[in-house]
Amino acid sequence: MRAKRSVRAWPAVLLMTTVSVPAPVSWARAPAGTYSATAPAPVPDTPVPAVARVWPVGARPAVVRGWEPPATPYGPGHRGVDLAAAPGDPVRAVAAGRVIFAGRVAGRGVVSVDLTGTGDPPLRTTYEPVRASVRKGDEVEPGEVVGVLEPPTVHCTGPCLHWGLRRGETYLNPLTVLPPWLLRAGPSRLLPVDGVPLP
């Protein structure tokens, strides 16, 4: 009799265990259209136009750490590039746009600019650590100073500017907004052409 009762009790225990598992709370679920932690990082729908007219610091700064896109949206990587620069160096807008943020985030100065004519949502460049000389809503032109580089943070081993680029929530390689003539190592040179008649 005792063996029969325990055999009949198991389905009830199993049912109670299954029913008592709490359902996920609605705010904890990922919104529609997001990616799981194991899915590959999203790829941008549209190509990045080469709209930059200047580097954000210097004439051709050294890239001390390059773009290292994460394998997943929340995985490790480097969502921008680090450019060698010295504290106090001017930081310039690379292209025309509107300042959408100028302030401090986690103790670091940050300036973000939505670039004009780059689609919807527009491309957004971010510069840090920067002591801003612009305010939210300011229109900026290529080469216009948006602030000065602050002393180094733990992000770089030495002084550097972290330059980021995104479209919506997708991080992109900021070097892609630079046209080829800005990426070349040296200035353009005219070479002699023999045998071509003058006009």
Side-chain angles (χ1 to χ4, degrees):
M1 184 75 159
R2 183 174 233 180
K4 283 186 180 180
R5 254 191 228 157
S6 63
V7 170
R8 275 190 248 151
W10 273 110
V13 170
L14 220 54
L15 179 63
M16 286 175 26
T17 305
T18 306
V19 172
S20 67
V21 173
V25 183
S26 61
W27 54 265
R29 280 186 262 156
T34 59
Y35 301 87
S36 73
T38 57
V43 176
D45 301 359
T46 56
V48 175
V51 295
R53 296 294 165 253
V54 295
W55 284 87
V57 287
R60 176 64 172 93
V63 176
V64 293
R65 184 175 178 193
W67 165 250
E68 298 164 18
T72 63
Y74 303 106
H78 192 232
R79 294 164 174 84
V81 295
D82 294 338
L83 305 175
D89 280 358
V91 177
R92 298 180 298 273
V94 297
R98 178 185 295 270
V99 176
I100 57 118
F101 182 82
R104 301 202 77 72
V105 176
R108 288 183 292 205
V110 177
V111 175
S112 294
V113 178
D114 278 356
L115 303 182
T116 304
T118 57
D120 185 26
L123 290 173
R124 176 176 298 168
T125 57
T126 302
Y127 314 94
E128 62 179 280
V130 175
R131 188 172 63 246
S133 59
V134 291
R135 288 189 229 163
K136 182 179 178 179
D138 286 353
E139 296 284 339
V140 294
E141 293 300 320
E144 186 174 335
V145 174
V146 296
V148 296
L149 191 67
E150 292 182 330
T153 63
V154 294
H155 181 79
C156 292
T157 55
C160 79
L161 173 75
H162 177 80
W163 178 30
L165 177 72
R166 15 182 265 205
R167 185 183 294 282
E169 297 303 312
T170 303
Y171 287 87
L172 306 166
N173 182 352
L175 297 178
T176 58
V177 298
L178 294 171
W181 59 270
L182 271 175
L183 287 168
R184 283 193 281 274
S188 299
R189 286 179 279 164
L190 296 176
L191 299 174
V193 179
D194 295 327
V196 176
L198 294 173

